[in-house]
């Protein structure tokens, strides 16, 4: 009958089959070459953050054969045939990573391990008016996994200025400022967003008017101040019954 046999080491082996029937004996000898069996070995982190680049390294070594690999990362149909490669996961969760190793003689092995991809916040923020004589409100619109705790940090020109969720500031100088928001969760995963903020000139309305009689012309002296970097426009409202507006450039 048929029989299974496992060779533990590579090499060339003599195989003999002896047959006997009715006292008659015959035999057949063949040489069998046993190729080296690959052992799938890999090195990669077991926990990472979403959006973090991960290094996957093949540690398989073969003495007598060339071999190829195929990585499957558990992220849709994403794969790689590079022995050492990188990947950035776009979603959180447990991912099953498998390394397949195939020798040039058709010998195969594989290894599977899980990678836990922890959630990372998607940082974003909104801004209202950015004028030198007014406060600017920065609204934190970060999207994050509500099952974890988060902490936000606001930076102005690389200096941390607030740990509140939203932030408000005013401006003293007309210039471009760098504003960055960083959000860190309690699993050690963080995201950040930096924007250049151009502070705009703003007029400070002021005027002088002398008392006058009805029917007489009213002289109003416009004392509005601004830094001269803008083309100012003015809207006058004299609060008549029907409302009267005068726009002067």
């Amino acid at each position: 009958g048929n029989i299974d046999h496992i060779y533990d080491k590579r090499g060339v082996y003599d195989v003999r089959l002896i047959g006997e029937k009715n006292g008659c004996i015959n035999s057949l000898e063949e040489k069998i070459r046993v190729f080296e069996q690959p052992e799938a070995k890999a090195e990669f982190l077991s926990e990472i953050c979403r959006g973090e680049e991960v290094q996957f390294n093949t540690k398989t070594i073969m003495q007598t054969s060339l071999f190829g690999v195929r990585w499957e990362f558990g992220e849709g149909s994403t794969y790689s045939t590079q022995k050492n490669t990188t990947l950035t996961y776009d979603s959180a969760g447990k991912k099953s990573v498998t390394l397949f190793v195939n020798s040039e003689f058709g010998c195969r092995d594989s290894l599977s391990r899980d990678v836990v991809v922890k959630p990372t916040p998607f940082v974003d923020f909104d801004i209202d008016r950015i004028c030198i004589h007014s406060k600017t409100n920065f609204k934190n619109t970060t999207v994050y996994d509500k099952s974890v705790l988060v902490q936000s940090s606001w930076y102005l020109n690389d200096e941390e200025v607030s740990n509140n969720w939203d932030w408000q500031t005013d401006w003293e100088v007309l210039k471009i400022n760098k504003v960055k928001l960083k959000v860190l969760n309690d699993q050690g995963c963080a995201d950040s967003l930096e924007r250049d903020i151009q502070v705009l000139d703003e007029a400070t309305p002021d005027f002088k008017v002398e008392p006058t009689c009805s029917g007489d012309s009213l002289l109003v002296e416009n004392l509005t101040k601004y830094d001269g970097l803008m083309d100012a426009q003015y809207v006058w409202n004299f609060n008549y019954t029907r409302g009267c507006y005068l726009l002067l450039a």
Side-chain angles (χ1 to χ4, degrees):
N2 297 327
I3 190 171
D4 291 329
H5 182 75
I6 297 176
Y7 288 97
D8 294 329
K9 297 180 179 179
R10 70 179 186 271
V12 178
Y13 296 87
D14 292 323
V15 178
R16 175 183 294 177
L17 174 63
I18 302 174
E20 180 182 358
K21 185 175 182 180
N22 300 323
C24 297
I25 299 175
N26 203 354
S27 66
L28 174 68
E29 291 185 3
E30 294 282 355
K31 289 188 180 295
I32 295 180
R33 183 178 179 184
V34 177
F35 298 109
E36 181 181 5
Q37 173 67 30
E39 182 181 0
K41 293 183 178 181
E43 181 181 70
F44 52 89
L45 296 175
S46 60
E47 283 193 350
I48 58 170
C49 295
R50 180 204 59 77
E52 177 184 356
E53 185 178 76
V54 190
Q55 181 73 42
F56 294 89
N57 294 326
T58 302
K59 292 300 182 179
T60 296
I61 297 176
M62 298 192 71
Q63 302 295 333
T64 61
S65 174
L66 301 176
F67 68 93
V69 305
R70 177 184 171 96
W71 290 93
E72 294 184 359
F73 301 104
E75 180 88 333
S77 58
T78 304
Y79 72 93
S80 174
T81 56
Q82 300 294 317
K83 291 180 179 178
N84 301 315
T85 187
T86 60
L87 179 73
T88 301
Y89 283 98
D90 294 327
S91 61
K94 183 182 290 187
K95 314 291 183 178
S96 178
V97 177
T98 302
L99 170 64
F100 299 92
V101 179
N102 298 321
S103 79
E104 62 179 319
F105 300 112
C107 301
R108 302 177 180 180
D109 192 27
S110 63
L111 172 149
S112 293
R113 290 210 307 263
D114 288 337
V115 173
V116 176
V117 183
K118 299 180 289 186
T120 300
F122 293 88
V123 170
D124 200 2
F125 59 88
D126 292 334
I127 312 169
D128 64 2
R129 56 186 292 154
I130 313 171
C131 300
I132 193 168
H133 297 302
S134 300
K135 288 188 178 297
T136 299
N137 295 301
F138 294 85
K139 181 177 178 58
N140 191 337
T141 59
T142 296
V143 177
Y144 64 95
D145 188 331
K146 297 301 190 292
S147 66
V148 298
L149 300 176
V150 295
Q151 177 183 346
S152 61
S153 300
W154 292 94
Y155 297 84
L156 177 60
N157 298 323
D158 299 324
E159 180 181 351
E160 187 173 3
V161 291
S162 177
N163 292 123
N164 294 329
W165 185 250
D166 298 321
W167 175 53
Q168 183 185 79
T169 190
D170 49 20
W171 311 99
E172 297 180 356
V173 180
L174 294 173
K175 69 173 187 177
I176 297 175
N177 296 275
K178 291 186 179 297
V179 174
K180 183 173 77 171
L181 171 61
K182 178 181 178 180
V183 178
L184 171 70
N185 66 25
D186 60 2
Q187 295 188 3
C189 299
D191 188 24
S192 63
L193 175 65
E194 183 176 273
R195 290 178 178 164
D196 289 336
I197 305 300
Q198 173 68 64
V199 180
L200 304 176
D201 192 8
E202 184 180 25
T204 303
D206 191 15
F207 63 90
K208 180 180 179 181
V209 61
E210 297 293 338
T212 189
C213 299
S214 60
D216 290 344
S217 176
L218 177 67
L219 176 63
V220 182
E221 183 180 0
N222 189 345
L223 303 176
T224 297
K225 298 178 180 178
Y226 60 94
D227 290 345
L229 301 178
M230 56 183 280
D231 294 327
Q233 290 186 328
Y234 306 96
V235 177
W236 293 95
N237 179 359
F238 294 102
N239 201 27
Y240 287 158
T241 302
R242 294 182 298 174
C244 179
Y245 296 86
L246 180 61
L247 175 62
L248 299 177

